[in-house]
Amino acid sequence: MGMNHAYSPRWRKVTIVILRPLLNGLLKREWRGRENVPGEGGVIIAANHISVADPLALAHFVYASGRYPVYLAKSTLFEVKLIRNVLRGTGQIPVHRGHADAAMALEHAEEALRAGECLMFYPEGSCTRDPELWPMTGQTGAARMALKTGAKVVPVAGWGAHELVPYKKGEQRGLAGSLKKGFHPFPRKTMRVIAGAPVDLSRYEGRPLSKEVLREATDDIMRAIAGLLGELRGKEPPTELYDHHRVLEERRRGSSAAEEAS
């Protein structure tokens, strides 16, 4: 069952007319590498995620690079009437939580890529839990889409959105722990965004999309994003990226061992 990727140019224009002046007023910008975003054809933008505010900052950067950003949005957002009209009208893609539905969402994403859309992916799947706000290990959806469709993956790093709206569900230590909860528009924050050259995934071409291949390709993508973030921050990214699932697993093991010992 194919669903042709559809959107309304009028709705897209409305969002640009409303959001551009708003974002220009709210945020200062420091942008690099816009020439790395291809002007046409299906492309995947793979970015780090540090704040609920970074999708807007990232969308602004991509739009200014000559593309209209298409996100994979939680299906529950499509149930809210006003938001649904905007999301549908601008051609955003609903993602359902269930396993079978997730495969369907990727099918829709694949159709959008083949239709020449610019798809926005946060491979981490949620805001980073790394205490110093480096990217975590990624989920394999973006790599799978790229290897299936041949679409380029452009790595993008953003920095600054965490000062506007910090993500407070993560680790409360390090840099993450030092940020104050809430919305902090003053003084005006600078959104720094950098796009790198497309990630070279040529060594995976023609290979079956096994777990190992998807994992390695995903690691290449996340490593490229972390390197760009290092450039923005003037710091060396960690050699091993934070693995949230492993941390939770170790904690669980630690607490059950402590219970047994007590």
Side-chain angles (χ1 to χ4, degrees):
M1 182 203 89
M3 167 193 105
N4 289 333
H5 187 75
Y7 66 88
S8 144
R10 195 171 58 104
W11 262 115
R12 287 193 170 183
K13 191 141 192 90
V14 166
T15 58
I16 292 156
V17 166
I18 293 169
L19 288 173
R20 252 174 86 195
L22 191 73
L23 291 169
N24 280 334
L26 187 64
L27 304 165
K28 293 187 280 192
R29 306 189 292 285
E30 217 176 275
W31 286 347
R32 285 150 58 189
R34 278 188 292 167
E35 68 284 353
N36 286 316
V37 178
E40 54 188 30
V43 63
I44 290 167
I45 303 287
N48 65 320
H49 202 3
I50 53 173
S51 159
V52 294
D54 61 32
L56 282 177
L58 183 62
H60 195 188
F61 174 86
V62 167
Y63 178 73
S65 308
R67 300 301 296 262
Y68 191 91
V70 171
Y71 280 92
L72 282 78
K74 278 185 196 143
S75 58
T76 46
L77 290 172
F78 285 78
E79 290 158 21
V80 184
K81 200 173 172 193
L82 179 68
I83 302 177
R84 178 179 63 210
N85 293 345
V86 178
L87 294 175
R88 284 237 167 97
T90 56
Q92 310 301 310
I93 296 168
V95 177
H96 301 268
R97 274 287 173 240
H99 199 69
D101 295 328
M104 179 69 85
L106 287 181
E107 204 177 290
H108 292 170
E110 206 179 307
E111 280 167 9
L113 279 175
R114 293 193 196 281
E117 291 284 13
C118 175
L119 242 54
M120 316 291 279
F121 269 88
Y122 283 117
E124 294 165 270
S126 71
C127 283
T128 183
R129 303 299 206 272
D130 181 287
E132 297 304 322
L133 304 187
W134 291 103
M136 303 187 287
T137 53
Q139 295 172 2
T140 56
R144 180 186 291 277
M145 286 289 96
L147 296 173
K148 266 185 99 170
T149 63
K152 287 191 168 88
V153 178
V154 175
V156 173
W159 192 243
H162 61 296
E163 294 170 353
L164 182 71
V165 187
Y167 181 75
K168 293 306 278 181
K169 286 186 197 158
E171 292 284 341
Q172 293 314 305
R173 56 196 174 96
L175 176 58
S178 71
L179 300 169
K180 282 196 176 64
K181 199 175 170 174
F183 176 54
H184 310 283
F186 307 110
R188 248 171 103 206
K189 304 298 180 279
T190 299
M191 288 296 163
R192 300 166 68 207
V193 184
I194 182 172
V199 182
D200 179 8
L201 299 175
S202 58
R203 67 196 181 100
Y204 306 110
E205 269 166 34
R207 286 169 65 183
L209 299 184
S210 67
K211 224 171 171 174
E212 289 70 37
V213 162
L214 292 173
R215 184 72 265 145
E216 280 176 41
T218 300
D219 290 345
D220 289 352
I221 293 167
M222 294 316 298
R223 182 54 52 206
I225 297 169
L228 291 168
L229 186 58
E231 271 182 58
L232 283 186
R233 295 174 66 172
K235 288 182 174 179
E236 204 50 52
T239 45
E240 218 176 293
L241 297 182
Y242 186 91
D243 184 335
H244 188 45
H245 297 289
R246 200 168 66 199
V247 169
L248 291 179
E249 190 52 46
E250 281 166 6
R251 268 187 206 155
R252 267 199 298 273
R253 278 209 298 268
S255 63
S256 58
E259 275 168 29
E260 279 168 26
S262 64

